[in-house]
């Protein structure tokens, strides 16, 4: 037994010998297990459910273990936001501005550009009063140069780990949520910066962009006929290099400067020759800038998709680049060293992340700039431009080629920045102007104040946490509390009673059974429900369990666990449904009037039962039944009698209408009347149901002819339609019957058909007029809706008749494959002949068999009767299939093949005399509607050169255990051989399926002789 159950049993062992009224304080403390020894920490792994003094596993390790100050607050250490010594400052990513941050870091580490920007005059002079800056308002740069000045100053001397470039981004008008083309941004910003600085008076500032980034090349065209050269000079700030099909940077540069032949339609018009001539064209580098930007064209336009795509090919580049072989004028210094690599991580041109590897010009060390995070790139072998791709599995990545010393390979680098190599070392650190440094100092002081504030908040949270920790620790040491006065005696007494009743239940069950066998004398008995008596022990046990659970819940289950609220609600709901002796309660809460549901028990038996069900309703034997139920029962009997009387009267008044005899027909108008009345067939059917079963159905009070009229009050049916398809929606009434209907029912609308003789010629012309008249518009709308419904059905039933020699087959080989459901009882019900009596009324011959009628009488009777069933009556050998309007004829033939074992090419289908031959057409377009009957005629093809057919099938049964079937096919090789073979194999599988449906083992041998 589990320790919890052992403790539970020991806590209530005294209840076996102590009665509820004898419960003392000692019993209460034992039940609550107050004096159990507390568990020792380290020995008990988790909280013991049976011991309320167990203080293990209740979260004490948080308070009794080592103190973790970080658990007392959710404030990060402000020193984590402080810039580390000898490190650079990062830039915040505002959403999708990582490409801007990379260029800002590259430009910041261009010392010449930074120095020139510091020399730009600023509007900050208007912001200065006296010896300092106004404290009451923040500095807001006005121009692009001022934004760059302030950003560079913060990047140089800020104490923050990263700064916010939102002012600069907002001044450029960039969308922070949309990633722009990084290469296009570089070009546009350089053009904007050059235009802004060109207005400066200081030449070092005005010409800094041209000095640092601007080079010159010429488009040279040479005529092959006369040798004349034509030059077109152009400036460049970066060289755009095609990388497709190349592996090295030098190959990309060579292709950029490659000579191009102008021939054919692309010939060059030579001014010297005054005609189009073959020529050559190439680019000559005339001068190179100090900072050479090489754009690797990784993002190209894909003509097939109409979008940009990224070329993820590896390109090798060296740390030292000698450009002398590529320039026109030799002899200068054209050796460049790598200073920055801009990288795009990601496989798509429209998403990804931008980072930069930049070299510190002063220390010569490389750093990785990734927005807010700056990381020094250390290692024996420096790998530049290497960053793993985002959202791309490692298996799909191309293997990285081997690189020699001083060279690197990258599949993500999109821009390489080279600096002209000089013998002179870089100048000392660029000094920040005084007005900018004052702004930086002010920002640093704000940052320090914030750090102090955050540290103070952290300290206060830690102090509060430590004080709480000591308080809880002291409280824990006082536990357990010992004797408790607030213990519920009522809960213990109730549980003691429940436990004693549980132990006594089996004995009381035998006693009650013996008492029930004895007869009840006098008026000392009590009424008990028979259903309650049959299951009273089970009800008592469940109720005791529920009471025991409620007692444990209110008592905390002696260890603090409680039941779920939803579970308690469900249990209370079940209790209300299973209360004892409530099965003889009427809806008014009194004793029910049905004596078949209750039984009289003795007083001794009731007292035993009442011990277990003290709240059960009590009904002594002299208790009268519910007076309201008696009144309702009497009224119900009177209503039933009234309904029977009404049904009998209506049946007597309209006997022919009820039995569907001697009904008028529009196609064969009766000679003895010129007027026929119309009612809804639905009204007639409902009325017949009431007359047959007046005690179960409600009487019909209104004719309800409004269903046959349109909203304008016009008739919805023509005379011709009422003789054919709409005849099953209406019922024709004789004038004498109509007079009786007007007396028995409420008539909302009178609808009649009149026969009129027109003309003086003998015989005169007969016309039929309806009153009210036909509404043409509503009639046309009704027909359109019906046709639309017939063409847009799904899962409708159609019927297929197999025809041999123009005769329908009455029996088929595989009736088990019929997918239609069996006919309902309503469909099987047929109109009764004259001699048959209605079984719903007490008649002398009600138990006799149905009369037999002759074949001639049956035919005559059928002519008089209009069938009430609107469903198609299936005959033997007919298959019902479920189809949809959008299903093709070919798919239908496959269904028929499985149902009749007839291959599709042997099927000749027709409907209403129309041959169905287009296999690709849908059933809706072919005019197949629900309840349609399709005729299937099997084509027995004798041209064996074009088809396969079974010539001989032998079946032999062995003791009914298995069937072995030999099927021999003989055919000649003809056109469509493979197609015919495939269809015949489908036919064979259909035959095999038929046998499997019969539960037989099938073994098929196929012998094909070609």
């Amino acid at each position: 037994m589990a320790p919890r159950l052992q403790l539970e049993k020991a806590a209530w062992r005294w209840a076996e010998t102590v009665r509820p009224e004898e419960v003392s304080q000692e019993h209460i403390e034992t039940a609550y297990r107050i004096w159990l020894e507390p568990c020792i920490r380290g020995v008990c792994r988790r909280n013991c459910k049976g011991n309320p003094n167990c203080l293990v596993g209740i979260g004490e390790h948080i308070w009794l273990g080592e103190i973790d100050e970080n658990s007392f607050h959710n404030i990060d250490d402000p020193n984590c936001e402080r810039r580390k010594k000898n490190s650079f400052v990062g830039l915040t990513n505002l959403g999708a501005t990582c490409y801007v941050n990379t260029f800002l870091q590259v430009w910041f580490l261009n010392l010449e550009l930074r120095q020139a920007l510091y020399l730009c005059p600023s509007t900050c002079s208007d912001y200065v009063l006296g010896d300092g800056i106004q404290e009451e308002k923040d500095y807001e740069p006005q121009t692009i140069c001022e934004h760059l000045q302030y950003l560079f100053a913060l990047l140089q001397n800020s104490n923050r780990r990263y700064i916010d470039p939102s002012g600069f981004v907002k001044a450029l008008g960039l969308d922070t949520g949309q990633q722009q083309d990084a290469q296009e941004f570089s070009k546009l910003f350089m053009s904007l910066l050059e235009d802004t600085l060109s207005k400066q008076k200081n030449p070092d500032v005005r010409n800094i962009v041209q000095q640092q980034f601007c080079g010159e090349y010429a488009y040279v065209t040479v005529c092959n006929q006369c040798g004349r050269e034509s030059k077109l000079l152009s400036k460049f700030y970066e060289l755009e290099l095609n990388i497709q099909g190349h592996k090295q940077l030098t190959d990309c540069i060579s292709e950029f400067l490659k000579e191009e032949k102008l021939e054919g339609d692309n010939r060059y018009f030579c001014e010297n020759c005054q005609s189009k001539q073959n020529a050559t064209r190439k680019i000559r580098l005339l001068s190179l800038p100090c900072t050479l930007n090489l754009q690797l064209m990784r993002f190209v336009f894909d003509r097939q998709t109409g979008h940009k795509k990224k070329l993820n090919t590896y390109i090798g580049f060296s740390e030292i680049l000698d450009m002398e072989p590529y320039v026109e004028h030799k002899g200068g210094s054209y050796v460049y060293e790598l200073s920055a690599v801009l990288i795009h991580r990601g496989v798509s041109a429209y998403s990804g992340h931008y980072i930069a590897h930049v070299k510190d010009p002063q220390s010569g060390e490389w750093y990785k700039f990734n927005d807010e995070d700056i990381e020094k790139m250390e290692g024996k072998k420096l790998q530049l431009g290497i960053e793993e791709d985002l959202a791309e599995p490692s298996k799909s990545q191309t293997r990285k080629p081997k690189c020699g010393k001083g060279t690197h390979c990258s599949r993500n680098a999109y821009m390489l920045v080279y600096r002209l190599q000089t013998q002179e070392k870089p100048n000392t650190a660029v000094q920040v102007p005084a007005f900018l440094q004052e702004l930086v100092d002010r920002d640093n002081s704000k940052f320090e104040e914030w750090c102090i504030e955050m540290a103070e908040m952290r300290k206060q949270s830690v102090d509060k946490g430590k004080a709480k920790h000591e308080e809880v620790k002291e409280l824990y040491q006082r536990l357990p509390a010992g004797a408790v006065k607030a213990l519920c005696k009522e809960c213990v007494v109730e549980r003691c009673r429940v436990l004693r009743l549980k132990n006594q239940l089996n004995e009381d069950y035998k006693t009650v059974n013996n008492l029930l066998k004895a007869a009840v004398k006098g008026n000392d008995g009590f009424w008990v429900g028979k259903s309650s008596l049959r299951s009273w022990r089970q009800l008592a046990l469940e109720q005791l369990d529920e009471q025991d659970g409620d007692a444990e819940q209110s008592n905390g289950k002696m260890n603090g666990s409680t039941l779920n609220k939803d579970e308690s609600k469900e249990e209370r709901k079940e209790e209300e449904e299973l209360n004892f002796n409530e099965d003889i309660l009427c809806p008014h809460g009194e004793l029910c009037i049905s004596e078949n549901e209750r039984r009289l028990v003795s007083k001794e038996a009731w007292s035993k039962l009442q011990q277990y069900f003290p709240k059960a309703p009590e009904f002594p034997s002299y208790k009268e039944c519910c007076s309201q139920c008696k009144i309702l029962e009497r009224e119900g009997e009177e209503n039933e009698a009234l309904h029977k009387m009404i049904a009998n009267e209506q049946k007597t008044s309209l006997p022919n209408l009820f039995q569907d005899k001697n009904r008028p027909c529009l196609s064969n108008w009766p000679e003895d009347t010129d007027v026929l009345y119309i009612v809804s067939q639905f009204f007639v059917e409902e009325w017949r149901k009431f007359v047959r079963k007046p005690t179960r159905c409600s009487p019909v009070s209104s004719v309800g002819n409004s269903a046959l009229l349109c909203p304008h009050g016009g008739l919805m049916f023509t005379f011709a339609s009422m003789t054919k398809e709409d005849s099953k929606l209406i019922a024709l009434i004789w004038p004498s019957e109509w007079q009786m209907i007007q007396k028995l029912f409420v008539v909302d609308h009178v609808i009649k058909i009149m026969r009129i003789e027109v003309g003086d010629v003998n015989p005169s012309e007969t016309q039929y007029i309806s009153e009210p008249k036909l509404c043409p518009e509503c009639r046309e709308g009704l027909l359109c809706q019906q046709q639309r419904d017939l063409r847009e059905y799904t899962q409708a039933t159609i019927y297929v008749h197999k025809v041999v020699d123009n005769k329908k087959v009455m029996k088929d080989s595989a009736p088990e494959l019929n997918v239609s459901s069996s006919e309902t009882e309503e469909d099987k019900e047929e109109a009764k002949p004259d001699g048959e009596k209605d079984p719903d009324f007490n008649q002398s011959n009600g138990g006799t068999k149905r009369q037999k009628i002759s074949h001639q009488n049956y035919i005559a009777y059928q002519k008089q009767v209009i069938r009430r069933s609107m469903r198609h009556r299936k005959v033997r050998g007919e298959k019902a299939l479920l189809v949809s309007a959008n299903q093709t004829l070919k798919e239908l033939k496959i269904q028929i093949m499985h149902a009749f074992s007839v291959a599709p090419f042997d099927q000749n289908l027709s409907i209403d005399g129309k041959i169905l031959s287009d296999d690709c057409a849908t059933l809706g377009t072919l005019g197949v509607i629900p309840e349609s009957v399709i005729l299937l005629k099997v084509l027995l093809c004798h041209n064996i050169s074009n088809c396969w057919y079974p010539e001989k099938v032998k079946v032999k049964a062995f003791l009914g255990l298995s069937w072995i079937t030999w099927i021999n096919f003989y055919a000649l090789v003809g056109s469509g051989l493979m197609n015919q073979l495939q269809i015949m194999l489908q036919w064979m599988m259909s035959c095999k399926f038929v046998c499997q449906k019969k539960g037989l083992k099938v073994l098929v041998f196929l012998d094909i002789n070609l």
Side-chain angles (χ1 to χ4, degrees):
M1 185 181 297
R4 181 178 64 85
L5 298 178
Q6 293 177 359
L7 293 175
E8 174 79 10
K9 189 175 181 180
W12 293 94
R13 188 176 290 114
W14 55 267
E16 299 176 0
T17 57
V18 178
R19 290 183 296 178
E21 57 271 14
E22 298 175 354
V23 173
S24 63
Q25 182 66 23
E26 181 182 357
H27 296 140
I28 296 175
E29 293 178 354
T30 304
Y32 275 95
R33 308 168 206 177
I34 296 299
W35 304 112
L36 289 179
E37 293 293 332
C39 298
I40 302 174
R41 291 188 67 237
V43 177
C44 186
R45 295 184 178 179
R46 56 185 179 181
N47 186 261
C48 300
K49 294 183 178 180
N51 187 358
N53 295 331
C54 179
L55 303 178
V56 179
I58 58 175
E60 77 286 350
H61 62 280
I62 300 177
W63 308 97
L64 302 181
E66 296 182 359
I67 299 177
D68 183 11
E69 295 184 356
N70 293 326
S71 62
F72 298 138
H73 62 81
N74 57 355
I75 303 174
D76 295 332
D77 187 2
N79 291 322
C80 295
E81 304 298 316
R82 190 181 301 277
R83 178 182 182 178
K84 296 180 181 179
K85 187 177 181 181
N86 297 328
S87 64
F88 291 97
V89 178
L91 293 168
T92 303
N93 190 341
L94 304 177
T97 58
C98 51
Y99 67 99
V100 179
N101 294 344
T102 56
F103 281 110
L104 286 175
Q105 296 288 8
V106 171
W107 296 330
F108 170 73
L109 290 178
N110 189 314
L111 302 182
E112 291 81 4
L113 177 63
R114 195 198 314 174
Q115 182 65 50
L117 286 174
Y118 285 162
L119 296 177
C120 284
S122 175
T123 57
C124 186
S125 58
D126 300 334
Y127 198 72
V128 176
L129 289 176
D131 296 333
I133 301 175
Q134 297 180 15
E135 294 290 341
E136 59 270 11
K137 60 179 181 178
D138 297 331
Y139 169 65
E140 296 182 0
Q142 303 298 321
T143 64
I144 297 297
C145 291
E146 291 181 2
H147 276 287
L148 273 179
Q149 282 181 339
Y150 188 44
L151 267 180
F152 285 178
L154 290 174
L155 289 174
Q156 184 170 343
N157 292 335
S158 177
N159 292 339
R160 301 178 185 268
R161 188 171 64 89
Y162 53 85
I163 60 175
D164 185 4
S166 56
F168 173 73
V169 173
K170 184 178 180 181
L172 293 178
L174 298 177
D175 185 0
T176 58
Q178 184 176 3
Q179 198 172 79
Q180 305 291 339
D181 189 325
Q183 296 173 341
E184 191 68 21
F185 168 76
S186 174
K187 296 176 186 178
L188 294 177
F189 183 78
M190 276 299 170
S191 176
L192 175 64
L193 185 61
E194 182 183 13
D195 182 64
T196 304
L197 296 179
S198 63
K199 302 175 184 178
Q200 301 295 326
K201 296 180 180 180
N202 189 341
D204 294 336
V205 178
R206 183 174 62 247
N207 302 324
I208 185 62
V209 176
Q210 290 85 352
Q211 292 174 1
Q212 286 294 314
F213 305 104
C214 184
E216 188 178 25
Y217 55 66
Y219 289 97
V220 180
T221 306
V222 180
C223 178
N224 292 349
Q225 182 67 25
C226 64
R228 179 179 178 272
E229 287 189 356
S230 175
K231 290 185 179 182
L232 177 62
L233 301 179
S234 179
K235 293 182 179 180
F236 70 89
Y237 295 89
E238 53 194 21
L239 296 180
E240 297 182 353
L241 305 180
N242 176 35
I243 65 172
Q244 198 164 8
H246 301 295
K247 296 182 179 180
Q248 297 295 329
L249 176 64
T250 54
D251 297 337
C252 301
I253 299 175
S254 299
E255 186 196 17
F256 181 77
L257 302 175
K258 183 177 67 175
E259 186 179 85
E260 177 187 4
K261 293 184 179 180
L262 304 179
E263 297 175 344
D265 295 338
N266 199 26
R267 287 185 298 172
Y268 165 71
F269 182 82
C270 180
E271 295 181 357
N272 191 20
C273 300
Q274 288 298 309
S275 62
K276 286 189 175 182
Q277 300 292 337
N278 293 337
T280 58
R281 176 177 293 170
K282 62 180 179 179
I283 297 176
R284 293 179 182 174
L285 294 177
L286 303 181
S287 63
L288 297 177
C290 297
T291 302
L292 180 61
N293 294 327
L294 300 180
Q295 292 277 9
L296 306 181
M297 305 302 292
R298 287 201 177 273
F299 307 108
V300 297
F301 181 76
D302 190 350
R303 296 192 178 187
Q304 295 182 353
T305 61
H307 299 283
K308 287 195 305 181
K309 69 176 183 179
K310 181 183 177 183
L311 301 177
N312 293 292
T313 56
Y314 277 101
I315 293 294
F317 53 91
S318 60
E319 296 183 20
I320 303 298
L321 178 62
D322 187 4
M323 292 294 293
E324 186 175 3
Y326 305 106
V327 296
E328 183 178 16
H329 304 292
K330 312 294 183 182
S333 177
Y334 298 105
V335 179
Y336 288 81
E337 59 181 354
L338 187 65
S339 64
V341 181
L342 278 69
I343 299 168
H344 173 266
R345 296 174 60 191
V347 295
S348 172
Y350 297 96
S351 62
H353 184 58
Y354 290 89
I355 62 175
H357 295 170
V358 189
K359 183 179 181 180
D360 183 6
Q362 294 179 336
S363 64
E365 296 176 338
W366 284 87
Y367 291 85
K368 181 173 74 173
F369 292 84
N370 185 7
D371 293 333
E372 298 92 343
D373 300 324
I374 312 297
E375 180 183 349
K376 186 177 181 181
M377 302 178 67
E378 298 177 336
K380 294 181 179 180
K381 187 176 181 181
L382 184 65
Q383 294 185 349
L384 301 178
I386 300 298
E387 288 292 332
E388 60 181 12
D389 290 321
L390 298 176
E392 183 182 10
S394 58
K395 293 183 179 179
S396 62
Q397 295 182 2
T398 309
R399 175 178 291 185
K400 178 180 175 293
K402 295 182 179 180
C403 301
K405 186 177 181 180
T407 60
H408 305 275
C409 294
S410 175
R411 65 199 305 255
N412 293 317
Y414 70 93
M415 182 173 177
L416 303 175
V417 180
Y418 282 89
R419 295 272 302 169
L420 188 62
Q421 194 177 54
T422 59
Q423 299 295 332
E424 300 178 358
K425 292 185 179 181
N427 296 331
T428 58
V430 180
Q431 297 297 325
V432 178
F435 70 95
L436 289 175
Q437 184 59 45
E438 193 169 355
L439 293 174
V440 172
D441 293 341
R442 181 181 175 184
D443 182 77
N444 289 337
S445 62
K446 290 182 179 179
F447 174 70
E448 295 298 335
E449 292 175 0
W450 176 83
C451 289
I452 295 173
E453 182 180 358
M454 291 296 104
E456 184 63 25
M457 291 176 61
R458 279 171 57 94
K459 185 177 180 302
Q460 292 177 2
S461 299
V462 170
D463 293 341
K464 291 181 180 179
K466 288 183 178 180
K468 183 69 174 179
H469 184 275
E470 294 298 328
E471 179 182 354
V472 173
K473 189 174 180 180
E474 182 181 357
L475 179 63
Y476 187 87
Q477 293 174 352
R478 296 179 182 177
L479 298 176
V484 181
K485 296 181 180 180
L487 299 180
C488 182
K489 181 178 180 180
E490 294 181 2
C491 293
V492 176
V493 171
E494 177 63 20
R495 182 132 195 265
C496 176
R497 185 187 69 83
V498 169
L499 292 176
R500 291 177 63 84
L501 286 177
K502 276 187 178 182
N503 296 332
Q504 193 180 350
L505 179 60
N506 291 331
E507 296 180 2
D508 288 345
Y509 178 72
K510 296 178 182 179
T511 303
V512 170
N513 284 344
N514 294 330
L515 292 174
L516 291 177
K517 294 177 182 179
V520 181
K521 299 179 181 180
N523 294 329
D524 295 337
F526 290 84
W527 291 110
V528 180
K530 291 182 178 181
S531 176
S532 297
L533 281 177
R534 285 193 297 268
S535 58
W536 77 269
R537 184 171 65 168
Q538 182 65 25
L539 290 174
L541 184 60
E542 292 177 359
Q543 182 169 305
L544 290 174
D545 290 338
E546 291 174 4
Q547 292 176 359
D548 193 12
D550 293 340
E552 288 184 353
Q553 180 182 1
S554 62
N555 204 13
K557 277 195 176 179
M558 313 310 155
N559 63 348
S561 61
T562 58
L563 291 176
N564 194 346
K565 293 182 180 180
D566 296 335
E567 295 177 357
S568 301
K569 291 180 180 179
E570 293 179 359
E571 290 179 356
R572 284 196 296 269
K573 184 177 180 181
E574 292 177 358
E575 183 180 357
E576 294 174 358
E577 294 176 355
L578 300 177
N579 279 344
F580 179 79
N581 213 28
E582 287 187 354
D583 51 336
I584 60 173
L585 283 178
C586 72
H588 312 100
E590 299 293 336
L591 182 64
C592 67
I593 60 178
S594 176
E595 294 185 2
N596 295 329
E597 298 178 1
R598 63 181 189 261
R599 178 181 174 179
L600 199 62
V601 300
S602 63
K603 185 177 181 180
E604 293 79 6
W606 175 251
S607 61
K608 285 288 184 183
L609 293 173
Q610 204 172 23
Q611 292 180 4
Y612 295 94
F613 309 103
K615 297 181 181 180
E618 181 177 320
F619 298 108
S621 58
Y622 54 84
K623 178 74 174 179
E624 294 290 337
C625 297
C626 179
S627 57
Q628 299 183 39
C629 290
K630 288 182 178 180
I631 296 173
L632 292 176
E633 184 183 25
R634 186 166 55 252
E635 291 178 353
E637 293 175 353
E638 293 174 356
N639 289 336
E640 288 182 0
L642 179 62
H643 287 177
K644 286 183 179 181
M645 183 184 67
I646 294 174
N648 196 18
E649 179 185 358
Q650 293 179 355
K651 179 183 177 182
T652 305
S653 303
L654 301 169
N656 290 340
L657 181 61
F658 173 72
Q659 296 181 2
D660 205 4
K661 292 174 49 180
N662 191 22
R663 306 313 307 152
C665 180
L666 293 181
S667 58
N668 188 11
W669 190 279
E671 296 294 337
D672 54 350
T673 182
D674 291 333
V675 178
L676 291 176
Y677 292 86
I678 294 176
V679 295
S680 171
Q681 184 66 28
F682 175 77
F683 158 74
V684 176
E685 295 294 341
E686 292 297 315
W687 173 70
R688 286 172 180 165
K689 290 180 182 178
F690 165 70
V691 174
R692 291 191 187 100
K693 300 177 181 179
T695 59
R696 298 183 183 179
C697 302
S698 301
V700 180
S701 59
S702 175
V703 174
N705 270 351
S706 59
L708 304 178
L709 303 179
C710 71
H712 313 103
L715 189 62
M716 294 289 291
F717 312 107
T718 62
F719 181 83
S721 69
M722 288 188 290
T723 61
K724 295 180 181 179
E725 65 270 11
D726 292 334
S727 61
K728 50 194 172 185
L729 302 178
I730 63 171
L732 298 176
I733 305 298
W734 295 100
S736 59
E737 293 177 334
W738 180 253
Q739 294 178 2
M740 190 59 62
I741 287 176
Q742 286 182 316
K743 295 179 181 179
L744 298 175
F745 306 98
V746 177
V747 179
D748 53 351
H749 297 282
V750 179
I751 304 176
K752 59 184 178 179
I753 303 292
M754 296 175 290
R755 180 177 64 178
I756 301 176
E757 305 291 339
V758 180
D760 300 332
V761 183
N762 192 15
S764 59
E765 181 181 358
T766 302
Q767 291 186 357
Y768 300 96
I769 301 175
S770 66
E771 186 179 322
K773 295 183 179 181
L774 175 72
C775 182
E777 296 180 356
C778 296
R779 174 64 182 175
E780 183 177 359
L782 176 63
L783 294 177
C784 292
Q785 182 63 34
Q786 290 176 349
Q787 292 297 323
R788 190 180 303 111
D789 294 341
L790 292 177
R791 297 293 184 269
E792 298 178 356
Y793 57 87
T794 56
Q795 293 297 306
T797 302
I798 65 170
Y799 301 90
V800 180
H801 278 299
K802 187 177 180 182
V803 176
V804 177
D805 295 333
N806 295 327
K807 294 181 180 180
K808 296 180 181 178
V809 173
M810 301 305 293
K811 186 177 182 180
D812 193 77
S813 60
E816 296 84 3
L817 295 179
N818 193 341
V819 297
S820 66
S821 60
S822 60
E823 297 183 14
T824 61
E825 295 298 328
E826 182 182 353
D827 294 333
K828 294 180 180 179
E829 181 184 354
E830 298 180 358
K832 297 181 177 64
D834 293 341
E836 187 177 46
K837 303 300 181 180
D838 184 35
D840 292 317
F841 288 87
N842 296 327
Q843 297 168 344
S844 59
N845 59 345
T848 61
K849 296 183 179 179
R850 176 177 295 185
Q851 297 180 3
K852 294 184 179 179
I853 57 177
S854 64
H855 180 67
Q856 290 81 5
N857 293 337
Y858 180 74
I859 295 177
Y861 171 71
Q862 285 283 60
K863 291 182 179 179
Q864 298 177 0
V865 174
I866 299 177
R867 300 179 59 126
R868 293 192 300 271
S869 177
M870 298 172 59
R871 293 182 56 185
H872 173 82
R873 292 187 178 271
K874 197 162 56 104
V875 299
R876 293 178 60 189
E878 183 178 84
K879 303 295 177 67
L881 303 179
L882 293 178
V883 297
S884 301
N886 58 355
Q887 183 176 331
T888 62
L889 182 62
K890 182 178 180 181
E891 295 172 344
L892 175 61
K893 287 184 176 181
I894 298 297
Q895 284 184 264
I896 295 175
M897 179 185 71
H898 289 291
F900 289 92
S901 299
V902 178
F905 57 84
D906 281 340
Q907 299 176 16
N908 185 0
L909 304 180
S910 62
I911 181 172
D912 297 332
K914 177 184 174 183
I915 302 297
L916 306 179
S917 58
D918 188 359
D919 289 343
C920 298
T922 61
L923 300 185
T925 58
L926 293 175
V928 180
I929 62 177
E931 304 294 326
S932 295
V933 180
I934 296 179
L935 298 183
L936 166 63
K937 186 175 182 181
V938 180
L939 297 177
L940 297 178
C941 181
H942 298 286
N943 183 8
I944 63 176
S945 62
N946 290 328
C947 67
W948 295 57
Y949 68 98
E951 178 188 296
K952 178 173 56 178
V953 177
K954 296 181 180 179
V955 178
K956 187 176 183 181
F958 292 92
L959 300 177
L961 297 178
S962 63
W963 285 11
I964 301 180
T965 305
W966 292 269
I967 303 179
N968 298 319
F969 294 97
Y970 299 88
L972 299 175
V973 178
S975 60
L977 177 62
M978 296 306 296
N979 186 32
Q980 300 296 339
L981 176 60
Q982 181 182 4
I983 295 177
M984 286 310 302
L985 290 177
Q986 292 178 354
W987 183 88
M988 289 177 57
M989 294 305 297
S990 174
C991 295
K992 183 179 179 181
F993 178 69
V994 172
C995 299
Q996 288 176 344
K997 288 290 285 186
K998 294 181 178 180
L1000 301 171
K1001 299 179 180 179
V1002 181
L1003 188 59
V1004 179
F1005 298 92
L1006 175 62
D1007 182 17
I1008 302 177
N1009 297 327
L1010 298 178

